[in-house]
Amino acid sequence: MSRPPGEDRTLRALGLAGVPREEPLLYPGAWPRESGLLDGDRLLPLDRPVYDEEDGRVPVLAIGSNASPAQLRHKMAEFGIDSPIPMVRSRVTGLDIGVSAHVSRMGYVSASPVGAPGTVRELFVLWLDAEQLAVIDASEGVPMTGGNFDRVWLPAPDVRVEPGDGSVLGGAYAYVNRHGVLHDGTGAPRRHPGAQRPLITELLHGSARLRELFGATPEEFSARARADRRLCDRGTRLFAEEGRVTASGLERYVGSGPQDPFSGSRTPSAGPTAPTP
């Protein structure tokens, strides 16, 4: 993966600088076109696609904005962590990207993984160390009673992850929504369109009560939802009350795998608490 000498590898130069936490309607943010090493403000060439226990890293599937280098950098900066993160574009079989059945305090409607046997997607695997994993856990609300996500271990062959070197991972972590996911009208999980404006527009169009809470446009929705926990909680309850919610198909993995891969390791203990999405 050689690069011309002096090539600008900053996120801005690569078109990856937008941060969904700062501009909600950008969610899920721009994903790289290829694997790379996120190092500060740069996405550098990656020397290998697979790490192991000796490297002190574990594989985590990025379903939504965790595949956005700018969003990742933003989350890590909240804890003062600037260590590099390998991001490996991988072929994943058995998962699809659904729509979280909750309204995020960040001002968007996020993505959640759903079980989809036979479905093949190109997703990023993040190889995270103990501190980085703790930050992402905090950002997804895993340690909180009222958080939105559980971190689960998805084993092979249930979910097949191929990082591109001919190998198949033994499994990977993913974040499963505790509220479930939105369905497509038939009861099956709907696929996240990968853009906020069409998704929010459709959700608002389908519910007068949702419009009463969040307004008539994606811009109003994001502005009202942003950092208003009570309003977001009302919107989340409304999804369920209106019968829009179904299971992701991944609930059976909650609590069934290695939940604490870095037992005894140092995790972030100071600095701001990451906002729950």
Side-chain angles (χ1 to χ4, degrees), residues 125-191:
V125 172
L126 312 177
W127 289 93
L128 303 179
D129 64 24
E131 289 191 324
Q132 294 164 349
L133 182 65
V135 169
I136 301 301
D137 276 0
S139 77
E140 305 295 353
V142 172
M144 301 171 59
T145 301
N148 295 309
F149 291 89
D150 286 307
R151 174 165 47 82
V152 305
W153 178 256
L154 303 178
D158 297 7
V159 175
R160 182 181 176 91
V161 181
E162 302 170 81
D165 64 345
S167 66
V168 178
L169 300 186
Y173 288 104
Y175 292 95
V176 174
N177 201 291
R178 293 172 180 171
H179 306 282
V181 294
L182 301 184
H183 64 70
D184 63 3
T186 71
R190 66 180 297 169
R191 176 177 283 187

Side-chain angles (χ1 to χ4, degrees), residues 164-257:
D165 64 345
S167 66
V168 178
L169 300 186
Y173 288 104
Y175 292 95
V176 174
N177 201 291
R178 293 172 180 171
H179 306 282
V181 294
L182 301 184
H183 64 70
D184 63 3
T186 71
R190 66 180 297 169
R191 176 177 283 187
H192 200 292
Q196 283 296 289
R197 283 187 172 85
L199 174 61
I200 294 175
T201 297
E202 184 175 345
L203 293 176
L204 291 173
H205 178 74
S207 172
R209 293 174 65 191
L210 199 65
R211 293 194 299 274
E212 290 176 4
L213 293 177
F214 293 98
T217 68
E219 289 76 15
E220 287 180 292
F221 182 101
S222 290
R224 294 187 187 184
R226 194 162 173 79
D228 189 335
R229 178 185 292 276
R230 290 185 179 180
L231 183 61
C232 290
D233 288 347
R234 289 178 65 190
T236 298
R237 290 195 300 270
L238 182 58
F239 285 150
E241 291 167 4
E242 293 191 332
R244 296 189 179 205
V245 181
T246 190
S248 70
L250 301 174
E251 288 80 6
R252 67 185 184 276
Y253 297 105
V254 175
S256 65

